[in-house]
Amino acid sequence: MAGGGQPTNAVAVRDLVKTFDNGRVRALDGVSFDVPTGQLAVIIGLSGSGKSTLLRHVNGMHTATSGIVHALGRDLGGVNARELRELRRDIGFVFQSFNISGRMTCLENVLTGALGRLRGPRYGVLSYPKAMRRDALEQLDRVGLADRAFQRTDTLSGGQQQRIAIARTLMQRPMVVLADEPVASLDPEISGQVMDVLFRACLEDNITVMCSLHQVDLALGWANRLIALRDGKVVLDSPVDEHLGQERVMEVYKRLD
């Protein structure tokens, strides 16, 4: 749960290098930045610039070739498997592909976000404690889908399914939420609704959000901070304010000759 025990910087990255294919492909090249607690930081860049790879280092899906990644005060390079599982309880991940079960109801999908706080398997909504069922309904209301609680998730639109995925992540009570292209397959209006949910989570719960996006207008409209990658390097790191215009940000998308 978010709270006063969080470090000043929820995420700290220093000289991060990640190579694949026996060192022949350098996906991240000397990346360094800090993300303060409670900030919504958007990472932009061309496909293949290293955005997804970077997010996967923050929750330990990838290990660094060299450099340091700290999340919630823990050095990801120095944790064992048990410590990593415990850390991931505080780091939620929202995927582009939603990663929810279409056969489950919306309510049950959201409840699965609480499994890290429970012992043993759960079979159906009624196998969860009453307080958790109430909390899950509140999370559904938060994303505007309380009236769909008992509807199968595979009957929803793509935007609604992504909001269910976010509600499930918030049910986890994370300190950090990582969102990898969460609106890539959604139309502009629905994309704005999804970003609004993430933005309000920052404000209301003091959750730190790192979100990768392609859409510059959404980044400028919702982010506190914008980090741009190109060829695995940070080429822009700036607060989003009146001095950061769309023309400057679009320079990131101009390929080098």
Side-chain angles (χ1 to χ4, degrees):
M1 184 187 306
Q6 292 191 45
T8 302
N9 289 319
V11 177
V13 177
R14 294 289 179 273
D15 301 318
L16 175 60
V17 173
K18 179 63 175 180
T19 62
F20 294 102
D21 196 17
N22 293 323
R24 288 190 287 270
V25 177
R26 184 166 287 223
L28 295 171
D29 191 359
V31 171
S32 297
F33 61 86
D34 296 324
V35 181
T37 296
Q39 186 175 80
L40 195 164
V42 168
I43 305 163
I44 66 166
L46 294 163
S47 295
S49 61
K51 303 187 300 298
S52 296
T53 302
L54 176 58
L55 290 179
R56 282 161 169 74
H57 277 80
V58 177
N59 81 332
M61 288 184 187
H62 288 333
T63 56
T65 302
S66 64
I68 298 171
V69 180
H70 281 188
L72 299 173
R74 303 296 299 272
D75 181 354
L76 272 295
V79 297
N80 59 35
R82 179 185 58 81
E83 292 168 333
L84 182 58
R85 284 194 302 272
E86 292 174 352
L87 182 62
R88 283 176 174 167
R89 294 174 187 170
D90 293 323
I91 302 177
F93 209 114
V94 179
F95 296 88
Q96 178 181 340
S97 58
F98 313 148
N99 248 26
I100 54 180
S101 173
R103 298 177 62 184
M104 288 183 180
T105 64
C106 298
L107 181 59
E108 191 170 0
N109 264 295
V110 174
L111 280 165
T112 62
L115 287 174
R117 293 182 271 137
L118 296 169
R119 289 188 176 183
R122 300 286 149 166
Y123 303 100
V125 169
L126 294 179
S127 65
Y128 290 84
K130 185 176 181 179
M132 283 189 173
R133 300 199 301 267
R134 187 182 305 115
D135 188 11
L137 285 169
E138 289 174 359
Q139 297 300 341
L140 281 170
D141 184 58
R142 190 177 193 180
V143 300
L145 292 170
D147 60 333
R148 307 296 181 99
F150 299 101
Q151 186 172 330
R152 274 179 58 129
T153 312
D154 57 9
T155 65
L156 302 180
S157 69
Q160 290 169 328
Q161 289 187 45
Q162 188 61 291
R163 281 186 281 158
I164 294 296
I166 292 173
R168 179 191 58 193
T169 299
L170 296 178
M171 184 71 186
Q172 185 180 330
R173 298 184 181 178
M175 295 180 184
V176 173
V177 170
L178 309 174
D180 189 12
E181 297 281 1
V183 298
S185 59
L186 308 178
D187 64 44
E189 181 180 356
I190 302 302
S191 296
Q193 293 174 9
V194 169
M195 290 304 299
D196 183 59
V197 171
L198 292 173
F199 180 77
R200 284 187 287 112
C202 281
L203 291 179
E204 296 168 5
D205 296 351
N206 199 35
I207 292 174
T208 307
V209 177
M210 291 181 64
C211 175
S212 65
L213 291 175
H214 278 300
Q215 302 91 329
V216 171
D217 56 336
L218 285 177
L220 293 175
W222 296 104
N224 307 124
R225 160 101 165 282
L226 193 146
I227 300 169
L229 297 179
R230 184 166 59 199
D231 298 328
K233 298 176 183 288
V234 174
V235 294
L236 176 68
D237 185 349
S238 171
V240 176
D241 55 26
E242 66 275 10
H243 303 295
L244 183 66
Q246 187 158 348
E247 183 177 345
R248 182 182 175 198
V249 178
M250 287 304 296
E251 289 290 325
V252 174
Y253 288 93
K254 294 182 179 178
R255 292 188 180 274
L256 298 174
D257 294 331

